[in-house]
């Protein structure tokens, strides 16, 4: 498949780009500073601005799928969704956040007392992104939320999938590595199972 990754130089974006490339997909890796994207087979680096809706739509056009892997506070969800819609891309997948996941019926993680204050604004904007996608009538979107701790680790290929509830391991920890998150996202592209909905991944 021909897949575009917006934010391909970031922590999640770089792992997603590498995972898709190793599976043989043709990846257009888009970043503000394309020189930061590692040179690898099946990957073409291109310069793009997440706040330039028209320019981004042009970059995404002609792809089977597009992935948004950008910080919510550094971007505008409405412009990203608009660019994806205008590009006529087949599928639009978003690297989401854990803050919008539920810890009890109707209770999002971001609203709980122990949620770290420094991540609250980012998480709230991520939840807004998901809410905007939920109103989308044209786009074939998918929003993949990581578990609470999203960090560098190993590619094990062993993880659990969920829907709207925060996944927690038996030891009480809620986490997923960037590497295994990339595996879950690539699996979803190859075998669609969550069209126009959110899902989550964790150990």
């Amino acid at each position: 498949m021909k897949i575009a990754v917006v934010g391909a130089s970031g922590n999640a974006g770089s792992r997603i780009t590498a995972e898709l490339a190793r599976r043989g997909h043709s990846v257009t890796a888009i970043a503000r500073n394309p020189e930061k994207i590692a040179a690898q087979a099946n990957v073409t680096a291109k310069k793009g601005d997440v706040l330039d809706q028209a320019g981004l739509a042009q970059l995404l056009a002609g792809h089977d799928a597009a992935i948004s892997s950008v910080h919510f506070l550094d971007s505008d969800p409405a412009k990203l969704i608009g660019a994806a819609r205008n590009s006529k891309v087949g599928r639009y997948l978003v690297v989401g956040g854990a803050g919008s996941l539920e810890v009890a019926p109707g209770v999002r993680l971001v609203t709980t007392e122990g949620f770290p204050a420094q991540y609250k604004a980012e998480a709230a904007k991520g939840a807004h992104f998901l809410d905007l996608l939920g109103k989308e009538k044209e786009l074939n979107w998918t929003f993949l939320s990581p578990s609470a701790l999203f960090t560098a680790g190993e590619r094990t290929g062993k993880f659990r999938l969920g829907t709207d509830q925060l996944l927690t391991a038996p030891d009480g920890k809620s986490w997923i590595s960037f590497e295994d998150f990339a595996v879950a996202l690539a699996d979803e592209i190859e075998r669609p199972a969550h069209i126009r909905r959110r899902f989550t991944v964790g150990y």
Side-chain angles (χ1 to χ4, degrees):
M1 283 189 218
K2 196 174 177 190
I3 304 166
V5 180
V6 182
S9 63
N11 281 322
S14 61
R15 268 77 164 195
I16 292 164
T17 297
E19 180 65 29
L20 292 169
R22 75 193 291 273
R23 295 186 186 207
H25 296 292
S26 175
V27 184
T28 303
I30 301 166
R32 188 184 299 139
N33 300 299
E35 65 278 4
K36 291 183 179 177
I37 296 165
Q40 53 199 303
N42 301 323
V43 175
T44 303
K46 290 198 175 177
K47 184 178 178 66
D49 181 351
V50 295
L51 295 174
D52 176 7
Q53 183 173 325
L56 197 56
Q58 275 191 314
L59 287 169
L60 300 183
H63 290 85
D64 299 301
I67 299 164
S68 173
S69 179
V70 298
H71 289 294
F72 303 126
L73 289 176
D74 294 337
S75 58
D76 181 340
K79 286 185 177 179
L80 288 167
I81 292 169
R85 191 192 309 118
N86 295 344
S87 74
K88 307 295 185 193
V89 72
R91 285 189 75 189
Y92 180 57
L93 300 99
V94 176
V95 175
S100 57
L101 290 166
E102 293 184 348
V103 292
V107 181
R108 283 177 160 174
L109 179 63
V110 67
T111 66
T112 59
E113 197 176 320
F115 195 87
Q118 67 266 36
Y119 300 128
K120 223 159 201 174
E122 177 78 8
K125 197 163 180 188
H128 174 60
F129 200 150
L130 178 59
D131 292 341
L132 284 179
L133 285 170
K135 297 170 185 169
E136 206 28 62
K137 299 287 189 284
E138 299 172 39
L139 213 50
N140 282 328
W141 62 270
T142 299
F143 190 98
L144 177 53
S145 287
S147 289
L149 183 61
F150 194 23
T151 186
E154 291 182 30
R155 181 190 185 279
T156 68
K158 296 174 182 174
F159 45 76
R160 292 183 296 147
L161 299 181
T163 52
D164 291 312
Q165 289 73 42
L166 182 73
L167 292 174
T168 306
D171 63 1
K173 196 174 175 184
S174 174
W175 76 289
I176 189 69
S177 70
F178 295 130
E179 290 78 5
D180 275 339
F181 181 95
V183 173
L185 193 63
D187 287 349
E188 173 65 28
I189 290 172
E190 293 177 346
R191 299 185 296 281
H194 303 89
I195 300 288
R196 293 162 113 26
R197 55 184 295 206
R198 182 259 291 280
F199 73 115
T200 185
V201 58
Y203 296 123

